[in-house]
Amino acid sequence: MQDKWKLATQVIHAGHEANQHGALVSPLVQSATFTFETVEQGGDCFAGEQQGYIYTRLGNPTTAELERKMAVLEGSEAAAATASGMAAVSAALLTNLSQGDHLVASKAVYGCTFALMTEQFKRFGIEVTLVDFCEVANIAQAIRPNTKALFCETPVNPHLDVYDLEAIAALAKRHQLVSIVDNTFMTPLLQRPLSMGIDMVIHSATKYLNGHGDVIAGIVCGTEEMITKVKLEVLKDIGGVISPHDAWLILRGLKTLDVRLARHCDNAERVAAYLEQHPQVARVYYPGLKGHSGYGLLGKQMRRAGGVVAFELKGSFDTAKAFANRLKLFKIAVSLGDAESLIQHPASMTHSPYSPEARMDAGIGDTLLRISLGLEDSNDIIADLSQAFEA
Ligand code: PLP
């Protein structure tokens, strides 16, 4: 019966196991290490001949509950929780790439993902080609004999381009590449890349999954074989594992994900429509608007368009910064998916790791502002934007 539950039910119940006291909410196992009756038992656990927790960097019951829940939600065989979204991005990529390998990734990605691919990977002899994923032909052209993986976000941070996941997955399969998608902006309740043939999904759980702005964490989902490699070949030795307390907070946050997303999306739809008709706005980027390139995939690939809207103001770099500075309800902050509405200026903040040329080439202009719509009343959000425009 549990297998038939809708995702809105699974997000609350999946992964939970009965505990010693019958507590409704699973106890937080805040322990770095686990004890054994005998050295022999410890040895058997290390040798994998006996099941049992050893040390929290290798596994923890609270973390395991989060991993079971995320695997159910994404429809994967397994999941690994990580210390941050970047730990998830790097774990997924490093599991699949070695010295001499090549990665094809989308030109526009979160700024630190861009820095990881273009700066850090260079030091380890991993080659990266960045292309516009809007056209699958661009990706196909970039594939070389040593290409091992494809990576993108969709919708993209910050300008919300949407890529066709079925087409990307089919291309990856034809060339025997591992396809990896960052699903942070959607969560599995709005988009399930694995159901479209993608091999691995990663998340910054810092965002909607936790939803309360008080945790940095990440998730990787994939096959049992792939997640075992993530855990044993990257997380165990590089060490970017989640704290059990953060896993417990995310389990708490996830229970309201479905209802939170409904409000985030409602607010984003209303604000996108408001911005679209505003004379001081040059362009609005939101896949829920008819003119957006991703609109055709709405309903097919994504259930709703999400809670992030980006827009370009008429004017200059300074016009955009001055507008953000005038807002009162919106907080100026990076991150997204929190209860509070947030605004940030990608050119000076999240996407500052790009050179101005690479940023422009990726379609991230000087006057682009990214807003994450919170859970407030949309009338107050619009009133705040209006007073900033009037000023
Ligand atoms: N992926 C996307 C799409 C993001 O927006 C971010 C952070 O903003 C990350 C990954 C990195 O996540 P974290 O900050 O949790 O390391």
Side-chain angles (χ1 to χ4, degrees), residues 311-326:
F311 59 104
E312 272 163 11
L313 287 179
K314 290 179 183 161
S316 64
F317 202 89
D318 289 339
T319 318
K321 289 199 287 189
F323 176 82
N325 287 339
R326 284 197 294 271

Side-chain angles (χ1 to χ4, degrees), residues 160 208 211 260-275 284-286 305-311 329-331 335-343 369-382 384-385:
L160 303 154
Y208 292 102
R260 285 188 284 110
L261 276 176
R263 173 64 78 93
H264 285 301
C265 292
D266 287 348
N267 283 352
E269 282 170 14
R270 187 162 174 219
V271 166
Y274 163 80
L275 291 170
V284 182
Y285 300 84
Y286 185 61
V308 177
V309 177
F311 59 104
L329 176 63
F330 278 84
K331 303 289 175 252
S335 206
L336 50 113
D338 292 335
E340 297 84 358
S341 286
L342 305 178
I343 186 161
L369 290 166
R370 188 193 78 189
I371 52 179
S372 165
L373 282 312
L375 303 177
E376 302 96 339
D377 188 309
S378 61
N379 292 312
D380 293 328
I381 294 173
I382 301 234
D384 194 31
L385 292 166

Side-chain angles (χ1 to χ4, degrees), residues 138-220:
N138 295 340
I139 311 170
Q141 268 169 17
I143 294 171
R144 304 181 195 161
N146 61 338
T147 307
K148 290 283 158 52
L150 305 180
F151 178 92
C152 70
E153 301 164 1
T154 178
V156 165
N157 185 0
H159 57 43
L160 303 154
D161 268 358
V162 172
Y163 306 135
D164 184 337
L165 290 179
E166 271 184 8
I168 293 168
L171 179 73
K173 290 210 166 23
R174 268 202 305 284
H175 293 268
Q176 295 178 317
L177 310 177
V178 179
S179 50
I180 308 167
V181 167
D182 182 335
N183 202 23
T184 299
F185 273 41
M186 290 276 94
T187 85
L189 298 195
L190 297 183
Q191 171 172 281
R192 298 177 90 209
L194 301 182
S195 72
M196 289 168 250
I198 295 294
D199 298 308
M200 291 182 94
V201 163
I202 74 97
H203 284 277
S204 166
T206 312
K207 313 292 167 16
Y208 292 102
L209 298 181
N210 178 55
H212 293 74
D214 47 14
V215 163
I216 297 277
I219 305 281
V220 188

